[in-house]
Amino acid sequence: NVTGSNSVNVFLGLGLPWLIGSLYHAYAQTGQGTYDVPALGLGYSILLFTICAVLALSLLMARRRYVGGELGGSLAVARLSSAVLTSLWLLYILLASLGLLGVIPADF
């Protein structure tokens, strides 16, 4: 269910507006004829996401090995894991935003 829901969100949420924009620029009398969207640090964002995802999966693997499962364990370990995952999320948002704003060089 989750995979299907995410697929629909991605394909409709990204694909449908892109299709509408492409059709508009192809058939409208704007004189442009193309629908160009600048990447604006896409490589940086993908690299940053990959690093955060690897760290999150590493945390889950460590929990499986030392706690006995991805869920459960003592309250202290659960809170620590929650804090680490939330920090990774906030760090991704912060670094991606700083890269998009040009504070951090993210031109690859």
Side-chain angles (χ1 to χ4, degrees):
N1 246 353
V2 172
T3 304
S5 173
N6 285 339
S7 298
V8 169
N9 290 340
V10 168
F11 293 139
L12 288 179
L14 295 176
L16 192 59
W18 201 304
L19 175 68
I20 292 169
S22 297
L23 292 174
Y24 173 78
H25 285 285
Y27 295 109
Q29 299 298 324
T30 61
Q32 295 175 349
T34 62
Y35 185 57
D36 296 326
V37 179
L40 295 175
L42 181 63
Y44 171 76
S45 182
I46 290 172
L47 177 66
L48 186 60
F49 175 80
T50 302
I51 291 169
C52 289
V54 167
L55 291 173
L57 291 173
S58 298
L59 173 67
L60 292 177
M61 289 171 52
R63 283 186 56 90
R64 177 179 280 188
R65 181 173 182 166
Y66 296 111
V67 178
E70 293 85 4
L71 301 174
S74 68
L75 185 60
V77 173
R79 286 187 177 167
L80 178 64
S81 297
S82 175
V84 169
L85 293 172
T86 303
S87 298
L88 280 175
W89 176 62
L90 292 172
L91 184 68
Y92 173 79
I93 291 173
L94 175 69
L95 292 177
S97 298
L98 291 176
L100 187 62
L101 293 172
V103 177
I104 297 174
D107 54 352
F108 58 94

